Amino acid sequence: MRKADISRKTSETDISIELDLDGEGVADISTGIGFFDHMLTAFTKHGNFNLIIEATGDLIVDDHHLIEDTGIVLGQVLAEALGNKAGIARFGEARIPMDEALATVAMDLGGRSYLVIDAEFKAPKVGEFSTQMVNHFFEAVAQNAKMNLHAHVYGDNDHHKIEALFKAFAYALRRAIIIEGNEIKSTKGVL
Ligand SMILES: [Mn+2]
């Protein structure tokens, strides 16, 4: 079973995540930031994962620690659920539109963390979610999942652009984790 659960508590946040990579798209997400919950629910649905997130933190300061730390734990739980990655496709990509916005995501689960993201937003916030945390969230996920992630989005409406990005991320991940055989897909023999 490709599942894992991790809890991480610091003086700033307290985050528990349970992930099943082979799920039914069922999400139970509570971060205290409505738009972030909406994005993580879309990620779960379109990735066909099951995801439970219970996150609390110092939202009295701002949304930075909570979003970043959720990204850290999501990356960790993803790495643990993938195990030795035997048989996975390893590479995944997706292009997802939402009205005028188009997001493109490509990833490699080959074990090297690297983020390249091209996403600029007009407004400082969508709801209670700071748009500059989009890049920081994906940085935290990529680092902790040991994922090479390239993401690009264009469009006009910030909500559309961010939602297209999360959906493209989900689709690319769904593709990259498909079991295609038994072998570890690397000439090095390890991912
Ligand atoms: Mn930070």
Side-chain angles (χ1 to χ4, degrees), residues 16-136:
S16 295
I17 303 187
E18 203 176 313
L19 172 68
D20 182 350
L21 291 173
D22 303 295
E24 296 90 38
V26 179
D28 182 2
I29 314 284
S30 172
T31 68
I33 304 168
F35 183 74
F36 194 31
D37 289 356
H38 178 43
M39 292 303 100
L40 292 165
T41 300
F43 163 76
T44 307
K45 183 89 193 161
H46 298 289
N48 219 23
F49 313 122
N50 288 343
L51 184 62
I52 300 171
I53 299 183
E54 183 67 50
T56 57
D58 56 355
L59 288 175
I60 193 85
V61 177
D62 66 6
D63 55 355
H64 191 118
H65 299 136
L66 193 120
I67 294 169
E68 178 175 5
D69 293 358
T70 299
I72 288 171
V73 182
L74 185 61
Q76 289 174 344
V77 85
L78 179 55
E80 192 174 313
L82 280 169
N84 72 355
K85 304 183 205 164
I88 67 164
R90 177 178 166 181
F91 302 101
E93 62 170 328
R95 299 178 80 216
I96 302 288
M98 186 165 187
D99 294 350
E100 86 299 340
L102 180 70
T104 304
V105 168
M107 74 173 65
D108 175 12
L109 294 173
R112 290 151 67 103
S113 307
Y114 208 103
L115 174 72
V116 178
I117 187 162
D118 183 3
E120 286 176 16
F121 303 102
K122 284 185 181 167
K125 286 191 162 228
V126 176
E128 293 303 306
F129 181 99
S130 301
T131 53
Q132 65 174 346
M133 290 309 295
V134 170
N135 293 21
H136 210 27

